Amino acid sequence: MKKVMILEDEENIRSFVVINLRRAGYEAIEAATGQQALDRLRENPDIGVAILDIMLPDMDGFEVCRRIRVSNKQVGIIMLTARTQEMDKITGLMTGADDYVTKPFSPAELTARIDALYRRLGGDAAGESELLTQGPFVMNTRNHTLEKNGLRVRLTQVEYAIMKLFMQNPGRALAREDILSAVWGRDYEGDLKIVDVNIRRLRIKIEDDTANPAYITTVWGFGYKWGA
Ligand code: CA
């Protein structure tokens, strides 16, 4: 059974999520503190998606996310944010998360996001092996790896999916809506900011000068274009 971890210290919200995860066919693993979440992930390496609340008693959810990503690039991470939290601040802090859901959220919304992350974890069709080489970049679509100048660039699943889309469409301006539906799925109902959040992070990882991106350029009012 697919495992999803919910980290939330407020018991009523946690139970609400657990009930809905089970209803949607997931096995739910619970954590009430950041430390518990890190322990549960170590004990259950097959957790596919982790849902992290931000306000916690021992450390904030961004710190939990950062610590998870030190050793685990594979797990999908969804942050639970409150409407009162400033979005700009959130996006700046979302250093390793794949997605976010704003409280209060509907069970359907949350499970749709989890389903979308799980679909991506499934990856490419078996047997597909392709090297995409452009400029200093080499992508291996079987191993899901990216190298720049022969050095491995560590990407989250979402970042990898965006890079693959770019490298399959060199020189083509891609609308943010197209990136969203290609990477997150057509039935994804989140907003376009998540695309910008991930692009910002990708630039930090792959650009020589993040202030003057040479590979991922912004097409104002439209989206992004890849060239290498
Ligand atoms: Ca909380």
Side-chain angles (χ1 to χ4, degrees), residues 8-10 53 55-56 103:
E8 166 67 89
D9 57 317
E10 285 168 68
D53 187 39
M55 303 287 280
L56 297 161
K103 291 179 184 175

Side-chain angles (χ1 to χ4, degrees), residues 131-180:
L131 284 184
L132 294 170
T133 304
Q134 286 161 27
F137 297 96
V138 178
M139 172 172 280
N140 183 320
T141 59
R142 174 176 280 179
N143 301 337
H144 284 208
T145 55
L146 179 73
E147 290 181 357
K148 181 185 177 188
N149 295 319
L151 295 174
R152 176 85 178 268
V153 182
R154 300 208 167 269
L155 301 176
T156 65
Q157 290 287 334
V158 166
E159 291 162 358
Y160 170 82
I162 295 173
M163 273 304 292
K164 188 177 172 195
L165 182 68
F166 277 144
M167 291 182 75
Q168 287 172 331
N169 294 279
R172 203 180 127 201
L174 297 171
R176 293 156 84 223
E177 290 84 354
D178 293 339
I179 298 172
L180 190 76

